[in-house]
Amino acid sequence: MTWSDLTPPRLRVQTVEVGDPGDLLALMPRADSYAWLRDGEGMVGWGEAVRHKVGGMVEAQEWWADLVDHVETGGEILDGPSGSGLMAFGSFVFDPDNTAAQSQLIVPRVVVGRRRGRAWLTTVGPVDDDELPGRLVVEPPAPPLNVRFEGGSLTPAAWKASVAEALRRIARGDVDKVVLARDLLAVADEEIDPRWLAARLAETYRRCWTYVVDGLVGATPEMLVRLDCGLATSRVLAGTIRRSGDDVHDLSLAAALAQSSKDLEEHEYAVRSVAAALAPFCSGMNVPDAPYVLDLPNVLHLATDVTAVAAAGASSLALAAALHPSAAVCGTPTAEARELIAELEHLDRMKYSGPVGWIDARGDGEWAIALRCGQISAEDPSRIRIFAGCGIVAGSDPADELAESNAKFIPMRGSLNG
């Protein structure tokens, strides 16, 4: 049910501790299911207790706080891990002014979670509903059938021309950095099962956060913000090089990345934007002096983990609202970069590079940036649009940026090709 324009309903939430549920993705039905996983831990959910279409993250936080006030709890795990009890999955658009997509918070009917050696089952429903959801018979997912890629909103040559134009604007002083995205449309003979994609991504990219939320599926390496018992953490990625497949050569690539003035400049813009956005909400911030190299199966990234103590009452959603869009996915200055994106990309990013994640009743949660992802079409589920983007700064080369974007398509292309 959708309560977009109504007072949040009164809900009954019951949480019990359970034994190890095993493979969480194996519990998910095909329809109306959601996932948030990293290295085997996290949560899956299904069904829909309430869905809220939101105009923005600040409005979403207000609505969520109101919903929490309308909840009756039972069987709660005392001092349970973050995510136990009432929680919602959410996904937000990158730019509300330039998209046909809709940001949403979804409270599942059932959630099964595992974190820090504990597992739980949460059920949610209206207070007048005494019927608990039964155990579902889950059919295993099947791979997409005969997937073909039909190009994107811009041809590779046209996208390189956009990068070249962005470089001209940077040289002119309009912006310091801008992030330009590409898309590819993939079409299969039958409906695409997001569980298949999630399982492949979770297996191959265990150090990333794998997510399934309302047709958006991906595995992102970049955490916009995590809030856990008062500690806020943000992982910033900017500066990328494609792996060669040879471990010895990759070591030299990692060393070159760590010393690249172009990539270090791009990374510094992103880290600076995150630290500035968190400062009003946090104290005791720690910003490392230099990035490290994050080693993923397809690429190497410059990475920095920013940590801070969140102010009392701050929620993960409020912190995410302050951080989005960071320079890592938009550019700097933010307003000028966003205008340039709308002019040069020639595509609807939808929820690509927007926040995706979850929040619980305590305000704890994890909001990552929706990268390495695709959006399954609601009108035709045999079609999925996948995305990749690159940060453009002075010194960028259009051909190199095209190669980088192709590397960032690999996780979704590989999962779709079965």
Side-chain angles (χ1 to χ4, degrees):
M1 60 185 72
T2 302
W3 299 80
S4 300
D5 303 313
L6 303 176
T7 300
R10 291 199 67 85
L11 298 175
R12 177 182 291 121
V13 181
Q14 299 187 64
T15 301
V16 294
E17 196 152 5
V18 297
D20 191 331
D23 181 4
L24 292 172
L25 284 173
L27 304 175
M28 293 170 58
R30 179 163 183 158
D32 297 325
S33 57
Y34 322 94
W36 181 266
L37 300 167
R38 185 174 188 259
D39 202 17
E41 291 202 336
M43 295 167 286
V44 296
W46 56 88
E48 187 179 301
V50 57
R51 174 188 297 256
H52 180 54
K53 296 180 180 180
V54 299
M57 300 190 75
V58 173
E59 187 267 334
Q61 165 58 31
E62 295 172 351
W63 183 88
W64 177 250
D66 198 9
L67 179 71
V68 170
D69 288 341
H70 287 75
V71 164
E72 295 180 7
T73 61
E76 201 76 19
I77 303 176
L78 296 178
D79 299 320
S82 294
S84 59
L86 180 69
M87 61 82 63
F89 292 95
S91 58
F92 291 83
V93 300
F94 168 74
D95 184 354
D97 295 330
N98 291 285
T99 184
Q102 181 75 57
S103 301
Q104 303 193 56
L105 286 177
I106 303 167
V107 179
R109 193 83 163 87
V110 181
V111 177
V112 180
R114 178 175 56 229
R115 193 183 303 275
R116 297 170 187 161
R118 301 178 72 182
W120 65 91
L121 166 69
T122 297
T123 56
V124 182
V127 293
D128 56 356
D129 184 0
D130 294 325
E131 181 181 351
L132 293 178
R135 182 164 179 81
L136 298 173
V137 177
V138 178
E139 295 183 3
L145 185 62
N146 296 328
V147 176
R148 56 234 177 242
F149 293 90
E150 298 190 348
S153 300
L154 290 178
T155 65
W159 190 78
K160 286 196 296 182
S162 287
V163 173
E165 177 60 26
L167 288 168
R168 283 191 285 273
R169 304 293 183 90
I170 291 169
R172 197 170 70 185
D174 294 357
V175 294
D176 297 316
K177 172 186 175 180
V178 63
V179 180
L180 295 181
R182 293 176 60 203
D183 65 338
L184 284 177
L185 177 64
V187 182
D189 285 351
E190 296 179 353
E191 292 187 4
I192 297 169
D193 191 334
R195 300 174 303 163
W196 172 269
L197 304 180
R200 292 291 304 275
L201 292 167
E203 178 182 3
T204 307
Y205 300 90
R206 296 185 67 85
R207 298 175 68 185
C208 296
W209 289 268
T210 296
Y211 52 92
V212 178
V213 182
D214 202 34
L216 181 70
V217 56
T220 179
E222 189 156 2
M223 176 58 63
L224 185 64
V225 67
R226 174 198 295 118
L227 183 61
D228 188 355
C229 300
L231 179 65
T233 305
S234 180
R235 172 167 292 177
V236 184
L237 304 183
T240 304
I241 193 167
R242 184 171 184 169
R243 295 192 60 158
S244 68
D246 179 272
D247 290 342
V248 174
H249 189 213
D250 284 347
L251 286 176
S252 65
L253 290 176
L257 180 64
Q259 298 173 32
S260 165
S261 58
K262 174 262 181 186
D263 290 295
L264 288 170
E265 179 186 10
E266 179 187 347
H267 191 81
E268 183 181 354
Y269 286 134
V271 172
R272 198 184 306 157
S273 74
V274 166
L278 282 177
F281 302 89
C282 299
S283 61
M285 188 177 301
N286 178 45
V287 183
D289 293 333
Y292 62 93
V293 176
L294 179 65
D295 180 359
L296 297 177
N298 59 319
V299 293
L300 304 170
H301 288 294
L302 289 181
T304 295
D305 292 334
V306 178
T307 58
V309 177
S315 77
S316 62
L317 198 50
L319 294 178
L323 285 165
H324 177 73
S326 74
V329 295
C330 181
T332 185
T334 302
E336 289 80 356
R338 183 151 43 184
E339 289 180 5
L340 193 55
I341 287 169
E343 177 185 347
L344 297 182
E345 276 189 348
H346 302 285
L347 64 82
D348 182 350
R349 284 196 185 188
M350 298 188 283
K351 296 177 181 179
Y352 168 73
S353 70
V356 60
W358 60 272
I359 186 171
D360 68 14
R362 291 164 286 200
D364 284 357
E366 295 176 292
W367 295 98
I369 300 174
L371 305 175
R372 315 300 193 269
C373 65
Q375 179 71 53
I376 297 174
S377 169
E379 294 75 23
D380 182 358
S382 69
R383 301 162 69 88
I384 181 172
R385 191 169 295 278
I386 66 175
F387 299 87
C390 299
I392 313 302
V393 295
S396 294
D397 177 79
D400 290 344
E401 300 301 332
L402 182 67
E404 179 181 320
S405 68
N406 286 332
K408 291 176 177 178
F409 278 132
I410 287 175
M412 290 305 298
R413 290 190 71 135
S415 298
L416 284 162
N417 285 328

